[in-house]
């Protein structure tokens, strides 16, 4: 005799002796910062009705191996209560409270994992489209490396664990586990066979080290799902073990990259609105638009640093060491640029710290060059090495606030985290002369690495004229040709100008010849 099932929509606090067949659609890990340990779930039945459910305190551990993501269960007579609107996960009026006494039966559905293939897995190459904000994605990937957990040097000393994922796209990706994911999924992945396949649900895309992934409270995982796609991926990794290992080694050897998306116009604030004290900081990053220059010449422009975290170290150039700031092993010490710049917009100015990558790109200096100059000249005043001390154009600059103690008081400073070109206006109506002069102004900024090889004003003017002449000639060569029998007035004018020029040149040469003749006659 078939069991009588009750639809979710018919279950409330007055319903008695009911059984519902539900699938676990979402499952959140308990927040470590909540005073009461709660685990939230969203369940759904075959009709598509959904309900939120909660597991509390000790029952979370007791039911740890039950109610797995996307599995189906028969649940009977859970405690049903009305949910106040402020505690609802969605527009759910009722909540089921599930505990160790609740009758839960696992439904044997051999195709339960195949149903996971209905999820829209995002390829690695499309991660950029989902970076930032609260957007989450689902992925299918193989685990190539499981790194040990590490304590981060951040407030509260959080623990994180990095997992290296890979698939047939041959682009390793970092997945960072936080909180309980480390002790649960992280431990399971370390104990499984090589290249376990992972289905990750509701993962956040970050711009750390290229594009990477991280867990959030609502993330869920299925390890080694029983699907054809998972078996195929695992077999591919095993067959291409050498390639997979080489890709991971090369990926981990590279310095950490951070990709920052372009800001929206609404994200730009004036310098006067940038927080001045730690208490005023409300965001992790701030965007301004302005010009960059080096004003303070009495400062250290380079230091020996870890190439990964950029923190100062007491080591000589190219010495191999273990960095205790970022926990990177066997890194090579290198001289790195670090100096203060002045940022200026229409409303005010402020200072910020610029590091190696942007100093090399925009001020054309690097740590090796500054260290070599200081050693050869026995002088730490390396300012003469700088080809330029100010940037002509405006840029959009992302600032990262940082606190540091100064005489017992917390002081706020800013690092330059990213530099983007300023938004340009529509140039559809710009005339050719303006466009030509734009290129001419670029030529006038030409400088050389050696301070002895600066262009003179006469040379700059000549360069501008030559460039303008070349651009005018190039533009004219691209014009559409017209039949010779129908010349335009502009072409007639050009022909007359050419004839006049030839005539004038002939007159000038004749005059020079006459002067020479007269001079010789006098002699």
């Amino acid at each position: 005799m078939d069991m009588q099932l009750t639809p979710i929509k018919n279950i409330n606090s007055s319903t008695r002796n009911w059984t519902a067949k539900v699938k676990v659609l979402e499952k959140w890990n308990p927040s470590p910062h909540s005073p009461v340990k709660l685990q939230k779930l969203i369940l759904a039945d075959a009709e598509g009705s959904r309900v939120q459910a909660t597991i509390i305190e000790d029952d979370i551990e007791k039911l740890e191996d039950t109610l797995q993501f996307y599995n189906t269960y028969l649940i009977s007579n859970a405690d049903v209560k009305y949910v106040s609107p402020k505690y609802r996960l969605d527009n759910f009026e009722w909540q089921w409270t599930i505990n160790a006494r609740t009758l839960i039966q696992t439904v044997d559905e051999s195709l339960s994992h195949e149903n996971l293939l209905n999820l829209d897995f995002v390829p690695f190459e499309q991660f950029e489209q989902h970076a930032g904000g609260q957007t989450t994605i689902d992925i299918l990937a193989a685990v190539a490396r499981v790194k040990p957990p590490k304590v981060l040097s951040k407030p509260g000393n959080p623990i994180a664990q990095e997992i290296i994922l890979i698939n047939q796209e041959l682009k390793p990706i970092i997945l960072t586990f936080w909180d309980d994911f480390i002790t649960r999924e992280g431990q399971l992945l370390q104990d499984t066979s090589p290249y376990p396949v992972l289905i990750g649900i509701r993962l956040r895309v970050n711009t750390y080290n290229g594009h990477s992934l991280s867990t959030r409270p609502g993330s869920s995982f299925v390890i080694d799902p029983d699907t054809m796609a998972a078996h195929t991926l695992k077999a591919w990794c095993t067959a291409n073990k050498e390639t997979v290992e080489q890709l991971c080694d090369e990926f981990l050897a590279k310095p950490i990259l951070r990709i920052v998306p372009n800001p929206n116009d609404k994200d730009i604030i004036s310098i006067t609105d940038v927080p001045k004290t730690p208490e005023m900081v409300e965001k992790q990053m701030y965007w301004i638009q302005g010009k960059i220059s080096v004003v303070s010449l009495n400062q250290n422009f380079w230091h020996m640093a870890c190439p990964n975290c950029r923190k100062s170290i007491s080591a000589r150039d190219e010495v191999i060491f273990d960095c205790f700031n970022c926990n990177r092993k066997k890194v090579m010490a290198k001289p790195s640029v670090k100096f203060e710049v002045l940022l200026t917009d229409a409303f005010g100015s402020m200072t910020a710290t610029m590091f190696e990558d942007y100093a090399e790109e925009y001020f054309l200096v690097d740590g090796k060059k500054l260290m070599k100059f200081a050693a050869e000249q026995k002088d730490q005043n390396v300012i003469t090495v700088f080809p330029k001390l100010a940037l002509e154009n405006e840029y959009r600059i992302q600032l990262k606030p940082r606190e540091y103690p100064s005489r017992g008081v917390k002081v706020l400073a800013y690092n330059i985290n990213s530099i983007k070109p300023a938004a340009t206006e529509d140039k559809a109506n710009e005339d050719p002369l303006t466009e030509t002069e734009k290129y001419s102004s670029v030529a006038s900024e030409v400088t050389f690495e050696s301070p002895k090889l600066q262009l003179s004003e006469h040379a700059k003017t000549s360069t501008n004229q030559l460039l303008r002449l070349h651009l005018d000639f190039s533009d004219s060569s691209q014009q559409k040709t017209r039949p010779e029998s129908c010349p335009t007035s502009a072409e007639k004018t050009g022909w007359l100008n050419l004839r006049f020029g030839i005539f004038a040149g002939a007159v000038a040469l004749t005059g020079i010849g006459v002067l020479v003749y007269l001079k010789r006659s006098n002699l």
Side-chain angles (χ1 to χ4, degrees), residues 385-398:
V385 179
F386 280 65
K388 53 185 174 182
L389 296 178
L391 305 184
E392 182 68 21
N393 297 326
E394 283 194 347
Y395 294 91
R396 290 188 165 184
I397 306 158
Q398 188 185 55

Side-chain angles (χ1 to χ4, degrees), residues 292-306:
I292 308 173
S293 60
V294 180
V295 176
S296 176
L297 306 183
N298 186 25
Q299 61 172 310
N300 293 324
F301 286 89
W302 68 280
H303 65 145
M304 295 303 300
C306 167

Side-chain angles (χ1 to χ4, degrees), residues 6-79:
T6 305
I8 287 177
K9 63 182 180 181
N10 294 339
I11 299 173
N12 54 49
S13 58
S14 61
T15 309
R16 297 289 183 267
N17 298 323
W18 57 267
T19 298
K21 184 178 179 180
V22 298
K23 179 174 289 186
V24 180
L25 289 187
E26 300 190 30
K27 185 176 182 179
W28 281 264
N29 279 337
S31 171
H33 309 295
S34 176
V36 179
K37 197 173 183 181
L38 298 174
Q39 185 167 46
K40 300 283 188 179
L41 304 93
I42 293 182
L43 311 175
D45 61 17
E47 296 181 3
S49 298
R50 300 189 303 163
V51 67
Q52 73 180 55
T54 302
I55 307 175
I56 304 175
E57 296 289 355
D58 296 341
D59 291 320
I60 297 174
E61 185 175 353
K62 294 176 182 178
L63 297 173
E64 183 176 4
D65 297 327
T66 311
L67 297 177
Q68 295 299 310
F69 176 75
Y70 229 76
N71 285 357
T72 303
Y73 302 89
L74 295 174
I75 299 180
S76 302
N77 300 327
D79 187 17

